[in-house]
Amino acid sequence: MLYAIASAQTGTGKTAVLVALAQLLAERSGTPPRLQRIEGDTGAAADARTLSTLGGSGQTEAPSSAEVVTLTELPAGQSAPQEAMIIGVARCNGTLTADLSRLATAHGQALTGVVLTFVPEKDRESLATVVQEAGVRLLGLLPEDRLLASPTLAEVVDAVEARTVQAAGQEQRVLDRIFISSISADPNQGYVARLNPTALVVRSDKPDQQLAALYAGVPSLIISGTVPILPYVLERAEEDGTPLLLTALNTADVVRRIEQLYGRSRFGGAEKVQRSREIIEDRGLLETLLAVR
């Protein structure tokens, strides 16, 4: 059996859907399906690496056989092998109606149905109607999710042009709760503790606030500005194993660049894999697919 995950555009969540379905299929059958990512767009290499880390082949050549259960992710807009059952994935945005039409036209009767991603809870019923009017079977509505939409530490590093201290091995940690440190003279450790951030943006000339964040157990600090970090801050961070992201940008520019990452982050890493699996299992997507097979 060959399933192909298709979309009309990039950034729809195809990889998240594929990985979660693969894990659930493996549990049900006892045999992991074959995972593939076909070349043809800028995300292919990164997605293939993700599949490789999950036990899939991560291969990018076209599959040669449909005798075993195979889940293949196609580049956006690409057609699938004739024997494949197509699972369309479409993101809820301003192009949804056009994307549904493109999927239906490109794949015809092979299109098993469509999974909608990034679905606002308030719009579930209206979006189901949109799919119905497009003449496409609705397989599932996957909700908006902060963790899946959030950037990883590595993506933040690139975005703010940071130099890192003690970040090795933590590149795929998801930073889904990034806050700005207090601007008051008070170290405000209680303020930080209440927020429970995954990262805190703090100025380089505020060592008291840097220490307050470390004492409160903040998992990572994004330190903005060009003032050298004091040795006792570095020593405390080293003791705790806390990554420091040091950028010459000012705080406002750091925040603007990080804001642009949300909703555009690539899928990957253990946290996002687990979260996508939880969502798809909760929504019964695998059972729906098996029922229409």
Side-chain angles (χ1 to χ4, degrees):
M1 178 62 67
L2 173 60
Y3 290 100
I5 315 296
S7 69
Q9 62 174 311
T10 60
T12 60
K14 294 193 305 292
T15 308
V17 170
L18 181 148
V19 166
L21 288 175
Q23 291 189 329
L24 294 170
L25 276 170
E27 283 191 1
R28 174 168 297 209
S29 67
T31 303
R34 185 183 183 199
L35 308 182
Q36 294 182 314
R37 176 58 155 94
I38 306 301
E39 291 180 341
D41 58 27
T42 56
D47 289 340
R49 287 193 296 271
T50 295
L51 300 191
S52 295
T53 64
L54 297 169
S57 68
Q59 296 174 1
T60 54
E61 75 275 8
S64 59
S65 172
E67 295 178 356
V68 297
V69 176
T70 300
L71 290 170
T72 299
E73 180 180 346
L74 303 173
Q78 182 169 314
S79 59
Q82 291 184 352
E83 68 273 20
M85 294 179 66
I86 311 299
I87 302 168
V89 179
R91 181 168 180 158
C92 296
N93 55 27
T95 67
L96 176 59
T97 301
D99 290 346
L100 292 173
S101 177
R102 289 169 63 188
L103 284 168
T105 300
H107 303 291
Q109 294 300 314
L111 183 63
T112 302
V114 173
V115 178
L116 296 192
T117 58
F118 296 87
V119 176
E121 191 63 32
K122 65 181 178 61
D123 296 332
R124 287 177 58 82
E125 292 187 8
S126 61
L127 288 170
T129 301
V130 169
V131 177
Q132 182 180 18
E133 292 175 347
V136 178
R137 183 199 299 267
L138 178 61
L139 298 174
L141 296 165
L142 305 185
E144 291 178 311
D145 185 80
R146 183 175 65 185
L147 191 144
L148 291 179
S150 298
T152 62
L153 187 146
E155 289 173 319
V156 172
V157 167
D158 289 342
V160 302
E161 303 172 33
R163 175 173 64 88
T164 61
V165 178
Q166 298 168 179
Q170 303 191 56
E171 294 85 356
Q172 292 303 308
R173 175 189 289 177
V174 179
L175 304 184
D176 60 331
R177 297 186 308 281
I178 302 178
F179 291 95
I180 302 173
S181 180
S182 168
I183 61 174
S184 68
D186 188 329
N188 228 342
Q189 186 173 340
Y191 162 81
V192 175
R194 287 193 302 274
L195 292 175
N196 190 29
T198 49
L200 191 74
V201 182
V202 56
R203 283 167 38 182
S204 59
D205 61 348
K206 295 291 184 179
D208 53 342
Q209 295 184 8
Q210 295 161 22
L211 280 177
L214 293 170
Y215 290 147
V218 176
S220 52
L221 299 186
I222 304 167
I223 302 180
S224 61
T226 58
V227 175
I229 308 304
L230 295 181
Y232 58 81
V233 174
L234 292 172
E235 290 170 5
R236 176 69 194 205
E238 183 178 2
E239 288 178 13
D240 296 342
T242 303
L244 304 180
L245 283 59
L246 312 180
T247 173
L249 298 174
N250 62 43
T251 298
D253 286 338
V254 167
V255 172
R256 276 192 286 267
R257 293 197 183 190
I258 291 175
E259 282 180 335
Q260 295 174 3
L261 297 176
Y262 283 85
R264 302 178 183 178
S265 175
R266 292 205 62 81
F267 179 80
E271 290 177 277
K272 291 192 176 186
V273 168
Q274 178 61 28
R275 184 60 183 145
S276 65
R277 177 215 168 105
E278 291 171 352
I279 292 173
I280 286 177
E281 185 173 24
D282 179 64
R283 300 291 165 140
L285 181 56
L286 177 60
E287 286 71 19
T288 300
L289 284 174
L290 294 177
V292 300
R293 183 170 66 177

